[in-house]
Amino acid sequence: MNWLEIAVHVPHEGIDMVSNIFDELGAGGVVIEDPALISKYIEANIWDHYEFPPEVLNRPMPIVKAYLPEGPTLEDKLALLQERLAGLPLPSVPKVETARVAEEDWATAWMAYYKPVEIGRKLAVKPSWEAYTPPAGRIVLELDPGMAFGCGNHPTTTMCMEFLEGIIKGGEMVADVGTGTGILAITAAKLGAARVLAVDLDEVAVKVARENVQLNHVQDKVEVLHGNLLDQVNRPVDIVIANIVANVIIILAPDVLRILKPGGFFITSGIIGFRAAEVKEKLQQSGFKVLERKEDGEWVSYLSVWEG
């Protein structure tokens, strides 16, 4: 099977909009080439400039790439992509470029710009194929995203990781809802949680998360389950993580109290800015006290506590 690489040139405010369109088209994951982010990590001596060609470093705006298999439905998907792009609230319709990729090249094509990233005070995410020597005190998470979304450098993920740094003291029970690649479940385990239940409705994500749990040698602490939200979680926990979307958080919030211990924490992320007030109101109506709000670009995350 051959694949079509689809590259959409888009301003920063459109990155997540385009990523969502690709997700709805069944791409299963995206690659984001953001010159500003790349330059940031080069300046911090985390990445090396020679790893990136000049056309990437000097590009005027980010590119969102996805890969779709060639087949009878491809032309319809491309037409739908163009239609959706034309309807985005952006200054102009994003430019689209395509290139055919052979099966033997596809498996590594999307890996090119996933690099080690340091997060918060203690953490670093390292793609499994990259070399990286951490500074003293950094906890390294090895990650292979496969075709599951999330490689650790998206704001919704990094904000959750920073919250976990601050609240895990050791020995906690944790539930990670919509675990994706398993990165937040693995983070909790490596920070000292005693037991983590990681749940996802997507069977591909479950497979990838289990592989990443093995890769990080935390299989004695992390159990990955296939299920919907908290349906598979029946034991009391100290922390619930929900890095999903506003609508699901609003539905989930009341059910969290069923399993959360008094004094337990609820980390919510994946909240687009204009929905943040609505989510906060629902958290408070459900009995949570919002302790902290983080913002990164258009994304918002909350750390809440149930005082019981």
Side-chain angles (χ1 to χ4, degrees):
M1 178 190 295
N2 290 331
W3 297 77
L4 189 70
E5 178 187 83
I6 306 164
V8 179
H9 298 247
V10 64
H12 283 92
E13 63 268 26
I15 288 175
D16 291 299
M17 301 177 196
V18 173
S19 300
N20 183 61
I21 293 171
F22 276 132
D23 183 56
E24 292 176 354
L25 290 175
V30 298
V31 174
I32 299 169
E33 296 178 13
D34 184 348
L37 182 65
I38 293 169
S39 297
K40 173 184 173 182
Y41 285 112
I42 289 174
E43 290 169 7
N45 294 316
I46 297 171
W47 298 349
D48 293 307
H49 73 276
Y50 64 79
E51 297 182 89
F52 303 92
E55 61 269 22
V56 171
L57 295 175
N58 300 324
R59 187 176 289 139
M61 66 175 64
I63 284 182
V64 180
K65 289 183 180 178
Y67 296 86
L68 294 175
E70 291 188 340
T73 64
L74 181 59
E75 291 303 320
D76 288 341
K77 288 183 178 181
L78 290 175
L80 181 57
L81 172 66
Q82 292 286 3
E83 179 184 328
R84 292 290 307 279
L85 292 175
L88 292 178
L90 297 172
S92 60
V93 178
K95 174 185 174 184
V96 178
E97 296 177 328
T98 60
R100 279 175 165 73
V101 179
E103 174 71 24
E104 58 269 23
D105 298 324
W106 165 80
T108 56
W110 54 270
M111 295 169 140
Y113 301 115
Y114 282 128
K115 301 292 179 183
V117 177
E118 293 176 359
I119 297 167
R121 296 174 290 106
K122 304 177 184 176
L123 301 166
V125 178
K126 184 186 86 65
S128 58
W129 57 88
E130 282 284 330
Y132 168 71
T133 303
R138 285 275 170 186
I139 299 170
V140 178
L141 287 75
E142 294 255 354
L143 202 69
D144 182 353
M147 285 302 286
F149 179 77
C151 200
N153 56 6
H154 193 278
T156 63
T157 305
T158 59
M159 289 188 287
C160 290
M161 294 172 76
E162 289 167 356
F163 278 141
L164 287 169
E165 269 192 348
I167 63 175
I168 290 185
K169 307 303 179 186
E172 290 86 355
M173 291 285 296
V174 180
D176 179 24
V177 182
T179 196
T181 59
I183 183 171
L184 295 175
I186 295 165
T187 297
K190 289 211 165 190
L191 285 169
R195 187 71 176 164
V196 186
L197 299 176
V199 184
D200 207 292
L201 190 59
D202 184 340
E203 292 184 356
V204 173
V206 169
K207 177 177 180 295
V208 170
R210 285 174 177 162
E211 291 169 352
N212 283 323
V213 166
Q214 294 279 341
L215 186 63
N216 284 275
H217 310 292
V218 290
Q219 59 269 29
D220 59 327
K221 292 185 173 184
V222 181
E223 181 181 3
V224 183
L225 303 170
H226 179 247
N228 184 36
L229 300 179
L230 291 174
D231 289 354
Q232 296 291 325
V233 184
N234 296 305
R235 65 190 76 175
V237 300
D238 302 283
I239 300 169
V240 175
I241 311 163
N243 181 19
I244 30 183
V245 294
N247 282 344
V248 180
I249 292 169
I250 288 169
I251 294 168
L252 178 67
D255 192 39
V256 170
L257 298 181
R258 175 178 59 84
I259 60 162
L260 191 64
K261 298 176 185 177
F265 296 100
F266 186 24
I267 296 174
T268 50
S269 193
I271 306 163
I272 199 76
F274 69 87
R275 302 291 304 276
E278 184 183 353
V279 172
K280 182 179 180 180
E281 182 180 2
K282 185 63 177 183
L283 290 169
Q284 292 171 330
Q285 286 176 352
S286 301
F288 292 99
K289 178 181 178 181
V290 177
L291 299 178
E292 188 176 348
R293 168 184 168 133
K294 287 184 183 287
E295 295 182 43
D296 192 333
E298 61 185 333
W299 297 103
V300 173
S301 298
Y302 289 117
L303 173 65
S304 304
V305 65
W306 181 51
E307 295 177 324

